[in-house]
């Protein structure tokens, strides 16, 4: 089924775990507006991201490849075409608005965008800062080494936090850690208004990445009230607004409920900002989204000691891998009512899908031809045709992967540190298998009977475990990055025979 060529509005949300969207039955009313959008469009409830943090998830999303394949982790792989490049080649005006350093021009995320705002440089910046930043452009690997180094520092979390804040406030010169949803959505609205007034015939691709509810969580008091946060005192709330580093103390003392309240209040704030944004766009005299495909999703989730950690470190459990995905357009609305009749609630697509297939799906929904350079394939058929049969419970799975050292995220493999290991998971609708290259620990979970992945059944089902393990080995063989042991051996040989450069 083909669509007329239309605009694409892509809203991505950082660190938004699926089960905190109230549409999925979450006990707190975190997302009254997003719930409405879920009912209006098509909602996928098994979108699995290909990595547990921003770099692997976005690289798979925008270049349609698995993170370890084609060196596609961070920066964006040079040999892969990006979604923005494809849309630009089809005559789209391409615009990005965000304030996330990991998605900045230094990691190649500006590729294919006519206008790229990442909050990193402005006209007023000093020439020293501009020179310094420019030296890093296209040197994402240098930045990765710096990030790996920061992650490896054995200093208290609170101190690490101060280093980060100093970077953001002193170097990037932001008042706050990141630009909030209000600021970014206002920028997006202003751009749309200007573009519309030009009577331009070109369709557009506008990508906005929002940082709420990513940490540090410092929501306004009124949103804490809206999610009925009970654990925090007024004094604490006021203190957190002024001193977001207090969050690290809550983590140290394992104050899980207080942290969840803060996280949920950030989601509630985000929801309110989205409501405002969409209302402005949909006003009667505007109807700016009439010929637009709107897509809302997230890059990964967030953990609150579900598996012993906070945040989104190198773990591949569902609280981190499973995120919301919503497609909305007038055309989809018609298809939905044809498919599901009046029952508005029946629009969840339960098939398992993953970020590697995201860009091909977008192309199909926009009525554009597929891109040969993309590895994935479109899952739009799950929207157009009723679910014919259950997903194959074993064969139909997706991979997620990350670099780590002692379960702490690393931003790339590194020539300097050959002990950086990989964790890879294979997830099917029924099972999750995880293998850690560092400890060689294997885990297997029965997601139907144990959705929170608490009971490791790898010993009970060695047959299944070995089947999944061989799938992962086969998958890694396709990866451009070599096996770590191989890399170490090659390094030793090259050191022995002199200065021979090896590319890993
Ligand atoms: Zn992220």
């Amino acid at each position: 089924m083909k669509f007329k060529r239309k605009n694409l509005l892509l809203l991505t949300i950082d660190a938004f775990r699926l089960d905190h969207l109230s549409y999925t039955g979450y006990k707190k009313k975190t997302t009254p507006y997003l719930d409405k959008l879920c009912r209006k469009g098509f909602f996928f409830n098994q979108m699995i991201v290909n990595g547990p943090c921003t770099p692997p998830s976005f690289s798979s999303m925008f270049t349609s490849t698995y993170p370890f394949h084609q060196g596609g982790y961070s920066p964006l792989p040079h040999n892969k075409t990006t979604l923005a490049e494809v849309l630009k080649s089809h005559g789209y005006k391409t615009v990005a608005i965000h304030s996330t350093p990991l998605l900045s021009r230094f990691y190649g995320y500006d590729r294919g965008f006519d206008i790229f705002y990442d909050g990193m440089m402005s006209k007023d910046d000093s020439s020293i800062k501009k020179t310094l930043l420019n030296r890093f452009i296209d040197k994402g690997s240098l930045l990765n080494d710096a990030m790996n180094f920061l992650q490896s520092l054995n200093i208290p979390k609170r101190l690490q936090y101060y280093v980060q804040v100093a970077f953001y406030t002193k170097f990037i010169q932001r008042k706050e850690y990141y630009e909030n949803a209000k600021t970014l959505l206002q920028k997006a609205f202003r751009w749309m208004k200007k573009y519309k007034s030009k009577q331009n015939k070109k369709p557009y691709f506008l990508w906005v990445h929002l940082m709420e509810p990513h940490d540090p969580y410092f929501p306004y008091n009124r949103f804490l009230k809206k999610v009925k946060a009970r654990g925090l005192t007024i004094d604490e709330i006021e203190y957190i607004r002024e001193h977001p580093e207090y969050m690290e103390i809550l983590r140290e003392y394992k104050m899980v409920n207080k942290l969840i309240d803060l996280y949920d209040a950030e989601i509630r704030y985000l929801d309110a900002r989205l409501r405002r944004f969409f209302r402005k766009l949909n006003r009667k005299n505007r109807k700016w989204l009439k010929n637009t495909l709107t897509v809302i999703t997230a890059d990964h989730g967030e953990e609150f000691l579900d598996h012993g950690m906070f945040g989104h470190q190198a773990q591949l459990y569902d609280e981190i891998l499973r995120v919301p995905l919503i497609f909305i357009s007038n055309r989809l609305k018609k298809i939905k009512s044809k498919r599901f009749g009046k029952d508005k609630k029946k629009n969840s697509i339960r098939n398992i899908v993953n970020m590697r297939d995201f860009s091909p799906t977008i192309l199909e929904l926009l009525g554009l031809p597929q891109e040969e350079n993309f590895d994935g394939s479109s899952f739009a058929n799950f929207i157009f045709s009723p679910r014919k049969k259950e997903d194959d419970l074993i064969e139909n799975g997706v991979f997620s992967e990350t670099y780590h050292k002692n379960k702490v995220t690393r931003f790339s493999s590194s020539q300097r540190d050959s002990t950086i290991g990989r964790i890879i998971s294979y997830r099917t609708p029924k099972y999750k298998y995880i293998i850690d290259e560092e400890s060689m620990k294997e885990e297997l979970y029965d997601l139907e009977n144990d959705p929170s992945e608490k009971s490791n059944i790898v010993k009970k089902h060695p047959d299944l475990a070995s089947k999944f393990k061989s799938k992962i080995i086969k998958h890694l063989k396709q990866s451009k990055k070599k096996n770590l042991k191989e890399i170490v051996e090659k390094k030793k040989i090259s050191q022995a025979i002199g200065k021979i450069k090896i590319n890993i």
Side-chain angles (χ1 to χ4, degrees), residues 14 54 299-300:
D14 214 295
T54 308
D299 60 346
H300 51 80

Side-chain angles (χ1 to χ4, degrees), residues 179-195:
E179 290 177 49
N180 63 18
K182 182 182 173 186
T183 313
L184 293 171
L185 291 172
Q186 274 175 352
K187 276 191 171 94
F189 180 78
R190 275 201 297 272
W191 176 81
M192 271 172 135
K193 196 174 173 184
K194 210 170 140 192
Y195 195 65

Side-chain angles (χ1 to χ4, degrees), residues 322-333:
R322 209 167 157 186
V323 298
L325 172 64
I326 312 164
F327 292 103
I328 310 147
S329 76
N330 286 345
R331 183 69 195 268
L332 290 178
K333 210 173 153 186

Side-chain angles (χ1 to χ4, degrees), residues 8 33 42 233 240 280 304 318 345 384 422 439 451 502:
L8 171 63
Y33 186 68
F42 277 91
T233 64
I240 286 167
K280 263 164 57 179
F304 294 94
D318 269 14
K345 280 190 176 172
F384 299 139
R422 296 178 287 194
S439 63
I502 44 164

Side-chain angles (χ1 to χ4, degrees), residues 13-16 52-55 57-58 100 102-103 209-211 214 298-301 312:
I13 301 167
D14 214 295
F16 186 14
C53 55
T54 308
S57 183
F58 267 102
T100 308
L102 290 172
L103 301 174
H209 182 64
L210 303 165
M211 280 302 277
H214 192 284
D299 60 346
H300 51 80
H312 42 276

